[in-house]
Amino acid sequence: MADMMWAGRFSKKIDDTTNAFNSSIAFDARMYRHDIQGSIAHATMLGDCGIITKEDSLQIIDGLKGILSDIDNGSLELDPSAEDIHMFIEAELTKRLGDVGKRLHTSRSRNDQVAVDIRLYLRDEISEIRQLVYKLAVTLVQLAEKHKETIMPGYTHLQRAQPVTFAHHLMAYVFMFLRDIDRLDDTAKRMNYCPLGSGALAGTTYRTNRKQTAELLGFTAPMPNSLDGVSDRDFCVELNCALSLIMTHLSRFSEEIIMWCSWEFKFIELDDAFATGSSIMPQKKNPDITELIRGKTGRVNGDLITLLSMLKGLPLAYNKDMQEDKEAIFDAVDNVKLCVKTFIPMISTMKVLKENMRNAGARGFINATDCADYLVKKGMPFRDAYKITGTLVAECIEKGLTLETLPIEEYKKMTRLFDDDVYSAISLDTCVKERKSEGGPSPEAVQKQIDIAKNMLGL
Ligand code: ARG
């Protein structure tokens, strides 16, 4: 193993187990591009400010670009015994350039270096996740457009409650995912301030230009306080919160799909390419994807707790505990991407069994509120109408009937206000059509929701 960068202070080499324990290269190597990007900006600024010579600056930048393309094309292998990706790249630069390479770290610490790298890395990940969630929202809107007339029961307490449409149900998720996109944008905006130049914790005595590095790296501005610059990981927490909410929405949706696939519901059938079989039960078609998404939601929430717990007792400024930020937030990012990527084609290929949805609606007394409303519209106070309808429902259950099939005489026994027109008033089609209130399930109301969503999606 090569001598440690900090060997001067030490009389012995680090113990192998300790080195392996201390090292983060196994998981921070994925930031190599961003580390090099940050170093190029830093070297440019050092040259422009006359802190190192222009020639040295240019040589360093060239050397860094060489390392970047060698890692990219696989000709430079990462050393697993290196302390972290930052040390590895700097050591490689020095191997290639000699003394010139040793000048890169002037006026910089790994503390501000790593703080900048994670931000650059996560900024790219956020934009990738944003695109995926956007695609998911578009897919759902397109599906909703086809199902404005597909009546299904809406539930509370998982009991059939009132009629909605499949489009109405899908649009509920669209608005959740639109807020998720908004949260990602918000996180990216607050994250986009540059810690580079904070040094180890207390800035530097060199006359650096933090504005320049911030601009070169596409940040909004330098972070105003150097202790804060190297100490906080609130942006990781915030991103993980946004990711946990994406997972929560996906997980609730997944839970519904799991139910809808069951023989008890049979509202949808997954495409064979997005379901799995059983090793013993030949009849099985299992919704594994959605179960895994539900399962992984717990894991992403776990990452959030890891981050919050890691931070809560840390005195300013940098502490090695903070190295633990990466595995947690990377795990959250990786799993969200995997889940959304898999969910989109599964949703767009599933078969919607409209008849079954409608039949479930027809048998669940989901028009009972409409029956009560019928009496209210004829002048009866709602509470009385509610009670009469409840009695009729009980009678139907006893006789094995529905409100649609209960004879008019039975209605009339309860109140003279009932007439033949009650049947059209409580037909599922009327119930849905008449729910025109803003945000409601009627086809026109859902169309307005689709228009709003499309507008937000720039469609
Ligand atoms: N690998 C470290 C991390 O991820 C880099 C920063 C190390 N700084 C230090 N002072 N030891 O946090």
Side-chain angles (χ1 to χ4, degrees), residues 6 22-25 27-28 31 83-87 109-115 118 200 233 318-326:
W6 27 263
N22 196 44
S23 167
S24 55
I25 192 158
F27 49 86
D28 63 20
M31 304 193 300
E83 193 178 333
D84 52 32
I85 190 63
H86 327 290
M87 289 297 215
S109 156
R110 263 183 310 156
N111 298 349
D112 56 347
Q113 189 176 355
V114 71
I118 317 173
R233 296 291 184 266
Y318 178 84
N319 301 269
K320 189 77 171 196
D321 316 42
M322 292 162 86
Q323 182 163 286
E324 293 287 312
D325 60 358
K326 283 170 278 302

Side-chain angles (χ1 to χ4, degrees), residues 107-117 195-200 229-230:
S107 177
R108 184 177 72 168
S109 156
R110 263 183 310 156
N111 298 349
D112 56 347
Q113 189 176 355
V114 71
V116 95
D117 290 5
L196 199 59
S198 296
V230 290

